[in-house]
């Protein structure tokens, strides 16, 4: 069965520093993976998704993620953090061959001035 | 503008009362979903519907009920049987084009508090 694990419930970076949010997946079949962002008291917004077309996926707001099968990882990165990036980030995987998303527990990103 | 609307944004309920959360979409999506979010946890699927007049239980359906009489609407009722209903509820929708990569789009959420 598919699942995702997000390492670190909180990540703190300085403004302008590299952002790295970790996600590892478990899947017996090629996975479809997603990153969503949630601002306080709002719904989720799709940042990017991996659908096997390319291992390096570029998303909105300068974020990107690289699919590494050998490491079963799909980490989210951004070269330079901005104050507006402070939010909670969720990694998700499609469950089996269904349309259901399985979410990780989330990582809250804090950006220090 | 196309999108998903949820109402109300905040909802307070007394113990023992049923309450219905609204979810409407004008994206012409076939599939709709309800999730529950608790602090420090990811989203958990309550119910989903892939077509009008049909829906399936998700991972935590006990104490909840839904209906799908119209394509645009997927209301969720939190019944008195739900033991711990205080949470943030999110509705989502997606196309059903036969691809597992159909993206789910989310509404702004309803925060339910049981007094």
């Amino acid at each position: 069965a598919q699942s995702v694990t997000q390492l670190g419930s909180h990540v703190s970076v300085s403004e302008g520093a590299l952002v790295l949010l970790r996600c590892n997946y478990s899947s017996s079949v090629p996975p479809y993976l997603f990153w969503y962002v949630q601002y306080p008291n709002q719904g989720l917004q799709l940042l990017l998704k991996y659908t096997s077309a390319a291992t390096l996926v570029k998303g909105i707001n300068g974020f990107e993620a690289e699919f590494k099968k050998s490491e079963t990882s799909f980490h989210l990165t951004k070269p330079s953090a901005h104050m507006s990036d402070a939010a909670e980030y969720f990694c998700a995987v499609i469950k089996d061959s269904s349309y259901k998303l399985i979410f990780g527990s989330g990582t809250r990103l804090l950006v220090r001035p | 503008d196309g999108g998903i609307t949820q109402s109300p944004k905040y909802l307070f309920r007394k113990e023992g009362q049923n309450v219905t959360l609204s979810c409407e979409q004008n994206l012409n999506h076939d599939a709709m979903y309800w999730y529950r979010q608790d602090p420090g946890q990811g989203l958990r699927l309550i119910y989903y519907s892939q077509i009008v007049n049909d829906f399936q239980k998700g991972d935590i359906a006990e104490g909840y009920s839904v209906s799908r009489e119209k394509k645009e609407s997927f209301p969720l009722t939190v019944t008195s049987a739900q033991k711990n209903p205080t949470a943030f509820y999110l509705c989502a929708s997606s196309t059903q084009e036969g691809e597992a990569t159909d993206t789910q789009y989310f509404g702004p959420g309803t925060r339910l508090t049981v007094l």
Side-chain angles (χ1 to χ4, degrees):
Chain A
Q2 280 82 351
S3 66
V4 290
T5 301
Q6 293 185 242
L7 300 176
S9 59
H10 291 80
V11 170
S12 180
V13 300
S14 297
E15 191 174 18
L18 171 72
V19 175
L20 171 61
L21 304 182
R22 300 178 187 275
C23 174
N24 287 89
Y25 69 89
S26 172
S27 177
S28 58
V29 298
Y32 297 104
L33 294 158
F34 304 77
W35 274 102
Y36 282 88
V37 61
Q38 184 181 33
Y39 298 99
N41 291 312
Q42 294 187 27
L44 275 67
Q45 180 182 8
L46 180 71
L47 277 176
L48 50 82
K49 64 181 181 182
Y50 169 73
T51 61
S52 75
T55 56
L56 182 62
V57 182
K58 294 187 182 299
I60 62 171
N61 301 338
F63 284 92
E64 64 181 35
E66 186 173 8
F67 175 74
K68 292 188 176 181
K69 185 178 179 180
S70 61
E71 299 177 7
T72 62
S73 68
F74 189 56
H75 301 333
L76 182 70
T77 60
K78 181 174 181 178
S80 177
H82 192 273
M83 296 298 290
S84 61
D85 295 326
E88 189 153 21
Y89 293 79
F90 292 94
C91 183
V93 65
I94 287 285
K95 181 178 180 180
D96 302 319
S97 58
S98 74
Y99 299 96
K100 294 187 285 185
L101 280 173
I102 303 298
F103 285 87
S105 55
T107 297
R108 186 169 299 278
L109 176 65
L110 306 172
V111 182
R112 305 184 302 270
Chain B
D1 290 334
I4 303 174
T5 57
Q6 291 186 242
S7 60
K9 187 170 179 63
Y10 297 95
L11 188 57
F12 298 89
R13 189 195 89 176
K14 293 181 179 179
E15 282 192 27
Q17 288 181 338
N18 292 356
V19 63
T20 298
L21 282 59
S22 170
C23 177
E24 304 276 334
Q25 55 99 359
N26 61 4
L27 300 168
N28 199 33
H29 285 169
D30 289 309
M32 297 186 74
Y33 311 79
W34 273 106
Y35 292 90
R36 171 183 171 136
Q37 185 178 23
D38 295 284
Q41 299 188 36
L43 280 67
R44 293 181 290 169
L45 184 65
I46 304 172
Y47 268 98
Y48 66 104
S49 168
Q50 294 178 290
I51 195 169
V52 174
N53 293 322
D54 187 42
F55 48 83
Q56 289 80 40
K57 293 182 178 180
D59 300 319
I60 55 166
E62 185 176 352
Y64 300 97
S65 66
V66 294
S67 63
R68 187 84 187 278
E69 298 176 0
K70 298 187 301 181
K71 187 175 184 178
E72 303 79 20
S73 179
F74 191 41
L76 173 74
T77 296
V78 184
T79 75
S80 56
Q82 170 50 233
K83 300 299 183 186
N84 185 21
T86 295
F88 191 49
Y89 290 87
L90 288 159
C91 178
S93 70
S94 71
T95 59
Q96 288 287 82
E97 296 174 350
E99 298 179 2
T101 56
D102 291 335
T103 299
Q104 291 187 23
Y105 295 89
F106 285 80
T110 292
R111 187 167 297 282
L112 173 63
T113 302
V114 174
L115 303 174

